Amino acid sequence: GADVQVFEYESSEAMELESSQIAPDGSSNATTMITWIDTPHFYKAGRIIVLYVGNDATVLDLLEKILGSQFAGR
């Protein structure tokens, strides 16, 4: 029941460029300040960025097992 968003890019280089614009705490990107309804967690692997907003330990554990540690968020 968790909402997990997956963003796929044409190349890993394009994904890295996009991910470099996200603040370490997930509060903003290059052009926008973001107010989250819950805690943001950003992950990346290959050509994808994954965003999960929430604190469900089961979801967080699964994402970390599949994608590694989050690169941005709280």
Side-chain angles (χ1 to χ4, degrees), residues 12-36:
S12 59
E13 293 81 10
M15 181 277 294
E16 289 293 343
L17 179 62
E18 189 81 6
S19 69
S20 72
Q21 298 180 41
I22 300 170
D25 68 356
S27 66
S28 64
N29 64 25
T31 60
T32 306
M33 291 296 297
I34 303 166
T35 302
W36 297 102

Side-chain angles (χ1 to χ4, degrees), residues 8-65:
E8 183 178 10
Y9 296 84
E10 290 292 323
S11 66
S12 59
E13 293 81 10
M15 181 277 294
E16 289 293 343
L17 179 62
E18 189 81 6
S19 69
S20 72
Q21 298 180 41
I22 300 170
D25 68 356
S27 66
S28 64
N29 64 25
T31 60
T32 306
M33 291 296 297
I34 303 166
T35 302
W36 297 102
I37 60 169
D38 207 335
T39 308
H41 303 275
F42 290 88
Y43 300 85
K44 62 182 179 177
R47 297 183 302 124
I48 65 169
I49 294 175
V50 174
L51 168 61
Y52 167 60
V53 179
N55 283 305
D56 184 300
T58 302
V59 174
L60 292 169
D61 185 51
L62 182 59
L63 290 171
E64 189 165 322
K65 284 181 181 175

